[in-house]
Amino acid sequence: EPEVTQTPSHQVTQMGQEVILRCVPISNHLYFYWYRQILGQKVEFLVSFYNNEISEKSEIFDDQFSVERPDGSNFTLKIRSTKLEDSAMYFCASSEPNRGYATQYFGPGTRLTVL
Amino acid sequence: GNSVTQMEGPVTLSEEAFLTINCTYTATGYPSLFWYVQYPGEGLQLLLKATKADDKGSNKGFEATYRKETTSFHLEKGSVQVSDSAVYFCALGQGAQKLVFGQGTRLTINP
């Protein structure tokens, strides 16, 4: 069964460094998403992406964040200058909306630790 | 805006007990409703879904019915197992828009 994959599974970085989190969505999906989950808290939406542009973003997704689909398979989240509060689990998801509703399928996540 | 409220956890039950995790929502229009499960150390897995009022989603013995009149989507299972121990998230979505999650309910099943 097709699944969303993410790399790396765990990333440790120093505050102020740039990180790139990578995702490979399910191949025939058209919509892509990033969410994050700070330890012990709820899952929060960051950004959605369709047709090579951002379709929606949250207040969390400020100028430090960017997304890109550099080729036909990868979808990346870049954090330009990491802060301590960026430490979280980051989930990528993808969906192929059908008949007005969509089911989002999630990857296993990347745990980001900012020191 | 849209929101989802889940019952407070954690919930601890004995094996073979009956499980209910409450979920209520606030939304405009006609959202789809989902339950996701997160096993220890893993990502989010879709457990079940319902896309319109009175639909019942089911999977692995879990069920939830989309109740528009009470704006609810409670998760139930008749007889839980130790392997059901996980965090359960109720979520709401509309079309291709973002999912809005509840705060999650940690479930522990003791043998």
Side-chain angles (χ1 to χ4, degrees):
Chain A
E1 186 172 329
E3 56 184 23
V4 177
T5 60
Q6 290 185 243
T7 54
S9 56
H10 192 187
Q11 172 100 41
V12 181
T13 189
Q14 296 291 325
M15 191 168 57
Q17 294 297 302
E18 174 183 287
V19 295
I20 297 176
L21 310 183
R22 291 182 167 80
C23 168
V24 179
I26 295 173
S27 63
N28 63 342
H29 284 186
L30 303 176
Y31 289 78
F32 314 112
Y33 310 82
W34 284 101
Y35 294 82
R36 79 172 185 191
Q37 183 185 29
I38 295 172
L39 186 64
Q41 299 186 23
K42 67 161 65 176
V43 178
E44 302 173 291
F45 168 76
L46 293 177
V47 66
S48 58
F49 192 85
Y50 171 71
N51 201 25
N52 283 320
E53 60 183 28
I54 291 173
S55 47
E56 188 180 4
K57 61 182 180 179
S58 72
E59 294 174 351
I60 303 167
F61 194 87
D62 61 22
D63 291 343
Q64 293 300 312
F65 291 87
S66 62
V67 289
E68 193 177 37
R69 188 154 162 82
D71 53 42
S73 60
N74 289 284
F75 179 51
T76 62
L77 174 70
K78 182 193 291 187
I79 309 175
R80 288 190 184 79
S81 178
T82 50
K83 308 184 187 77
L84 294 176
E85 54 265 35
D86 293 328
S87 294
M89 181 74 90
Y90 288 80
F91 293 107
C92 174
S94 68
S95 74
E96 183 188 38
N98 184 25
R99 297 198 301 273
Y101 64 88
T103 298
Q104 294 182 25
Y105 294 91
F106 285 76
T110 293
R111 180 170 298 285
L112 176 65
T113 302
V114 182
L115 302 176
Chain B
N2 296 344
S3 66
V4 175
T5 302
Q6 283 181 239
M7 67 185 288
E8 293 291 331
V11 174
T12 302
L13 296 172
S14 298
E15 207 165 19
E16 299 183 4
F18 183 85
L19 168 71
T20 300
I21 300 177
N22 290 337
C23 171
T24 57
Y25 68 90
T26 303
T28 55
Y30 303 96
S32 297
L33 299 172
F34 306 86
W35 277 100
Y36 285 86
V37 58
Q38 186 177 33
Y39 296 104
E42 297 186 16
L44 296 167
Q45 297 179 24
L46 178 67
L47 180 60
L48 54 83
K49 66 181 182 184
T51 58
K52 60 183 189 295
D54 300 325
D55 267 2
K56 178 186 281 188
S58 62
N59 186 25
K60 299 181 181 179
F62 290 90
E63 293 182 340
T65 301
Y66 187 159
R67 302 279 188 207
K68 197 166 180 356
E69 63 276 13
T70 54
T71 62
S72 65
F73 192 56
H74 305 322
L75 182 68
E76 296 182 338
K77 186 174 185 182
S79 176
V80 293
Q81 306 300 312
V82 172
S83 57
D84 294 326
S85 297
V87 181
Y88 292 81
F89 291 93
C90 184
L92 173 160
Q94 292 183 284
Q97 296 175 27
K98 65 184 180 187
L99 288 176
V100 176
F101 285 85
Q103 62 267 43
T105 301
R106 181 174 300 277
L107 174 67
T108 302
I109 308 299
N110 293 321

